[in-house]
Structure formats: C-alpha cells, structure tokens
Amino acid sequence: MPIKPTPEEAQTRLRLDSALAGDLAAAIDQAHAQAVKYLDGALYADQAALTTAADPRGIVCTADIIAAQLLLVDVLVGNNSAADRDDKRVAAHNILRPHRNLGA
C-alpha cells in the first residue's frame, strides 16, 4: 500500500475539478506531512518495510490513514466553508488518532 494518495485517487475520490490537478501534488505532500506530524511517526508501506527500517515509532499505512490524508487534501484544495474545513480536519484527526504514537 502506498503511504499517501495519488493525485488521480484524490481527484476521483474527492470529485475535484481537473483544473486543480496542478495543485494536487503539493496538497497531497502537505496533507501527508500533516498526518505524519499528527501521528508522530513515519509511515511505511507494509510491515516488511517497517521491519527493514527498524523504526520503533514507525506506523504501517492503512486504508484509513489514506482516507484521513484525502480529507486533509480536501481541506487544502476543496471548495469548503470554514466550518466544513474544520469539520474535515477534526474527522481526519479522529481517523488518525488510533494509530498515533502517544508517549515513549
């Protein structure tokens, strides 16, 4: 599994206008960085990659982590009200929370 959504996946799943294609790559990178910061650990494609990295704070990326990143992309480039952006950011954090490194 990839560790961040592709521009094509973002455009399709978020139903974004094709005119935003140029902004998607930067938004995806920013959303990924926000997710990693919130999780407090690097994302890895699978358990083998995590094992190879020997990263004690590493997190295997799952479909729900990709979904949270897509919500964060939508916050960045979607046509949302301020309230909708806040709601989507909170929803993304709620999705990420069970995967978050806490303490140690």
Side-chain angles (χ1 to χ4, degrees):
M1 168 167 279
I3 61 170
K4 56 185 170 180
T6 65
E8 296 79 19
E9 181 181 20
Q11 195 165 9
T12 300
R13 289 184 59 186
L14 300 174
R15 299 179 184 158
L16 296 173
D17 188 304
S18 60
L20 295 173
D23 297 332
L24 275 179
I28 289 169
D29 288 343
Q30 188 175 351
H32 175 76
Q34 289 175 10
V36 167
K37 181 178 178 184
Y38 183 83
L39 291 167
D40 194 24
L43 290 174
Y44 293 90
D46 54 33
Q47 188 61 45
L50 176 58
T51 302
T52 301
D55 182 352
R57 298 185 66 78
I59 300 162
V60 175
C61 192
T62 57
D64 58 335
I65 292 174
I66 295 292
Q69 290 181 67
L70 285 168
L71 278 171
L72 294 170
V73 168
D74 194 25
V75 166
L76 295 167
V77 296
N79 185 16
N80 301 296
S81 68
D84 287 343
R85 284 192 301 272
D86 290 342
D87 289 346
K88 288 177 183 184
R89 193 173 293 111
V90 167
H93 289 168
N94 286 339
I95 292 169
L96 295 171
R97 187 170 292 117
H99 302 282
R100 188 174 189 194
N101 283 313
L102 299 173

